[in-house]
Amino acid sequence: MTRPIRAELRRLLTTPLWRWGPFAALASGGLLTAACVLIGPERFDPPMPGLDTDAGVRLVLSMIGLTVLVPALFGALAVTAEYRHGTIAYTFLFEPRRHRVLAAKLAAYALAGTAYGLLTAVSAAAALYGTAAAKGVDIGATPGTVAGLLAGLGAAMAAYTVIGVGLGALLRNQTATLLVLGAYLYMVEHLLAIIPGVNHAYAFLPGGATAALTGSSLMTAAAAETTGSAAALLPPVLGGAVLLAYALAAATAAVTAPMLRDVT
């Protein structure tokens, strides 16, 4: 697997993704966190606990979970871009064993997703403490707690990158994959989080599992304020396990799907 993985990493470095990825990570982690701290959770609608409380810090950091679409799109482009430009046929000629090609993509983009998550976490920590200090606000969570929350969110970014690779391998069409990801993450899951009676399923969806890593979700908090019915989130460890299960399922689909269909 060394040669296919090395080839995928070289391919990644020749695309615009490696240049835009760091900017996206800084925006998702640093800029978003700094904006939330400057505004203050107590000024949200509905108002939320301030940064001087543990709940307020968790809420601000949970906002990073709303940006998981970005690494998922990066992962999806790893496969769909090849189908769109027709280079997948040459890739399979270079390595006829298709499962090795997709396994290499998964490995390469898992590494890229990990780097993306690490940069997101580091920039979010710098923004949280730097902006809070400039604003004169005390952070209500211990440094150990903040580090643990950001580590979980960073790992989630890697998981969503793998999920994106799996979905791209299943759908193959670039436009369809982007639309499905966007509609699901920003419409379907949000609706399921706020509709009474069905919102209990939200905890077992990828978005609910991501929210469990911080123990806070703006969607469930807003639902509790407006409807009085909010989905209970899973414990962080169980939420991480659910998210890992989705990533493993996506990886299995990515390796299996190309072997069951023609290239075109």
Side-chain angles (χ1 to χ4, degrees):
M1 288 299 297
T2 302
R3 287 177 56 225
I5 293 174
R6 196 159 50 223
E8 279 301 324
L9 289 174
R10 283 200 299 267
R11 188 200 307 274
L12 174 61
L13 293 177
T14 61
T15 66
L17 290 181
W18 79 271
R19 294 190 294 271
W20 290 107
F23 289 106
L26 291 173
S28 301
L31 292 181
L32 180 59
T33 302
C36 290
V37 173
L38 286 174
I39 296 171
E42 65 278 2
R43 295 182 181 177
F44 288 0
D45 186 17
M48 300 296 173
L51 280 171
D52 56 347
T53 66
D54 182 80
V57 174
R58 289 177 180 273
L59 180 67
V60 166
L61 295 182
S62 72
M63 300 294 288
I64 299 174
L66 298 177
T67 69
V68 294
L69 175 65
V70 178
L73 290 181
F74 287 165
L77 289 173
V79 184
T80 59
E82 287 219 59
Y83 280 101
R84 180 179 182 181
H85 297 291
T87 58
I88 191 68
Y90 299 101
T91 301
F92 286 150
L93 285 174
F94 170 75
E95 175 52 79
R97 290 167 292 186
R98 298 182 182 184
H99 68 281
R100 289 170 61 88
V101 173
L102 271 297
K105 288 184 181 295
L106 287 166
Y109 276 81
L111 289 173
T114 301
Y116 180 95
L118 179 61
L119 184 56
T120 300
V122 171
S123 63
L128 176 67
Y129 286 103
T131 310
K135 194 178 177 182
V137 176
D138 294 327
I139 300 298
T142 65
T145 298
V146 172
L149 297 175
L150 291 175
L153 288 170
M157 298 298 171
Y160 273 95
T161 307
V162 172
I163 291 172
V165 174
L167 187 61
L170 284 174
L171 298 182
R172 298 192 294 185
N173 183 278
Q174 190 170 99
T175 302
T177 304
L178 302 186
L179 289 175
V180 167
L181 277 171
Y184 176 76
L185 290 174
Y186 294 137
M187 291 179 61
V188 176
E189 281 199 339
H190 287 188
L191 287 174
L192 291 176
I194 63 176
I195 298 177
V198 299
N199 56 5
H200 298 293
Y202 175 72
F204 298 94
L205 299 177
T210 305
L213 297 175
T214 57
S216 181
S217 167
L218 183 63
M219 296 305 301
T220 57
E225 290 286 340
T226 56
T227 67
S229 175
L233 298 176
L234 298 173
V237 174
L238 187 54
V242 170
L243 195 58
L244 177 61
Y246 278 110
L248 291 175
T252 302
V255 173
T256 305
M259 295 188 292
L260 303 177
R261 296 179 298 196
D262 292 334
V263 174
T264 57

